[in-house]
Amino acid sequence: PTFPMSRLQDFRLLPVKFDETCRTSHVMYIKKHHVRQDEDSLPSERTLFVVGVPPLCTEEALKNIFVANGEVTGVFLRKRPGACPMTHAQDSSHCHYQSHPSEMGFKVGYVVFKETSACDRALKMDPVVDRYLSTPNCQIVTGMKRWIQDYRAKWHDPNLLQAEIDEYMTNFDNQATKAQEEQEASQGKPDKEGWVTVTRSKKSLKQGELKRTEIRRAKKKRKEKVTCNAGTVFWNCFPN
């Protein structure tokens, strides 16, 4: 196919096909990423902004489209333009949980190159050359297989989840023990301004509770004794 118009405002047109069996092309729009405040994960000079990424396109498939221009260090797909949050590989605190569900529909993409010259070459890609998203080395799963794959991805390995929970609780217990030890060590010691913080320990609280319990029992016994004495006086007023 021929594309007489290779530009649209600041964007360049880049036609792609799903695979070699497709006769028609889908057009993506690319330009150099530019924002007022640069981000560490998306350096403006080395990042390509892609609009109109097909719904079934994966990050690996998008990478294969541009890798011929130079080494690609990162690919991010988003539902709409915006900052790229930390990925699962970078975020080890919740490595077995999905931070967001899989987005459906057309998306935008960010392709980060290792060198600025590679990003410049990507902007000069010939729109007449056929480029495929799904290749033998990087096949995109569709149909029933894709549905089964997405369904299974919703469920997590219970052993991995349990291991993560155990690790979290162990760290929590260690931090709580350390905080308690520091609090006990600082009791009775003045701070920089000379103030001494007085806290009620569990031992004092337990002793106070025992004291209150004894007082309640003593009041109950006195009440029973008064009631008993009143009954004795009442019966003595009516001798046989």
Side-chain angles (χ1 to χ4, degrees), residues 3-234:
F3 293 88
M5 182 179 66
S6 60
R7 296 179 64 94
L8 181 61
Q9 294 183 356
D10 296 335
F11 288 91
R12 290 181 176 272
L13 277 61
L14 183 66
V16 293
K17 294 181 179 180
F18 181 77
D19 56 21
E20 296 181 355
T21 62
C22 293
R23 297 183 179 180
T24 59
S25 301
H26 168 75
V27 178
M28 298 190 303
Y29 303 87
I30 61 175
K31 73 172 185 177
K32 185 169 287 190
H33 176 60
H34 178 72
V35 290
R36 294 180 181 178
Q37 186 176 0
D38 204 359
E39 305 173 28
D40 295 336
S41 59
L42 301 176
S44 299
E45 296 299 323
R46 297 188 288 110
T47 303
L48 193 69
F49 179 51
V50 187
V51 179
V53 180
L56 297 179
C57 180
T58 62
E59 294 178 350
E60 187 66 24
L62 190 62
K63 177 182 178 180
N64 289 339
I65 295 293
F66 297 100
V67 72
N69 300 290
E71 183 179 351
V72 177
T73 59
V75 178
F76 305 94
L77 294 178
R78 297 292 175 264
K79 185 65 177 178
R80 57 184 60 84
C84 291
M86 187 179 296
T87 61
H88 298 301
Q90 297 170 336
D91 183 11
S92 59
S93 60
H94 300 285
C95 54
H96 305 304
Y97 294 94
Q98 292 183 350
S99 59
H100 54 81
S102 301
E103 299 285 0
M104 299 301 296
F106 287 90
K107 298 178 284 288
V108 298
Y110 299 90
V111 182
V112 184
F113 294 92
K114 184 177 181 180
E115 299 177 355
T116 304
S117 58
C119 186
D120 296 334
R121 286 193 293 270
L123 292 171
K124 299 177 182 179
M125 296 174 68
D126 189 355
V128 179
V129 178
D130 290 332
R131 295 178 177 85
Y132 306 104
L133 296 173
S134 182
T135 62
N137 296 330
C138 180
Q139 292 185 353
I140 298 178
V141 181
T142 60
M144 182 60 69
K145 292 183 179 180
R146 178 60 180 264
W147 184 88
I148 295 175
Q149 176 179 296
D150 292 343
Y151 177 79
R152 290 177 175 175
K154 296 179 181 179
W155 303 96
H156 306 280
D157 188 345
N159 296 326
L160 296 178
L161 293 178
Q162 186 62 49
E164 184 174 342
I165 293 171
D166 294 340
E167 181 182 359
Y168 175 84
M169 293 305 302
T170 301
N171 295 333
F172 179 83
D173 293 339
N174 293 337
Q175 293 176 2
T177 303
K178 183 178 179 181
Q180 184 177 359
E181 292 176 352
E182 292 177 353
Q183 182 180 359
E184 293 176 353
S186 62
Q187 283 184 357
K189 295 182 179 180
D191 57 12
K192 296 180 180 179
E193 299 180 356
W195 294 93
V196 177
T197 303
V198 180
T199 59
R200 299 181 64 183
S201 63
K202 293 183 178 180
K203 184 177 180 180
S204 62
L205 292 175
K206 187 175 181 180
Q207 291 177 351
E209 183 64 27
L210 291 174
K211 188 175 181 179
R212 287 191 292 270
T213 303
E214 292 176 357
I215 293 174
R216 287 196 296 268
R217 289 178 179 176
K219 288 182 177 180
K220 185 177 180 180
K221 287 182 178 180
R222 286 198 299 268
K223 185 177 180 181
E224 291 176 352
K225 185 176 181 180
V226 171
T227 304
C228 182
N229 293 337
T232 303
V233 173
F234 176 79

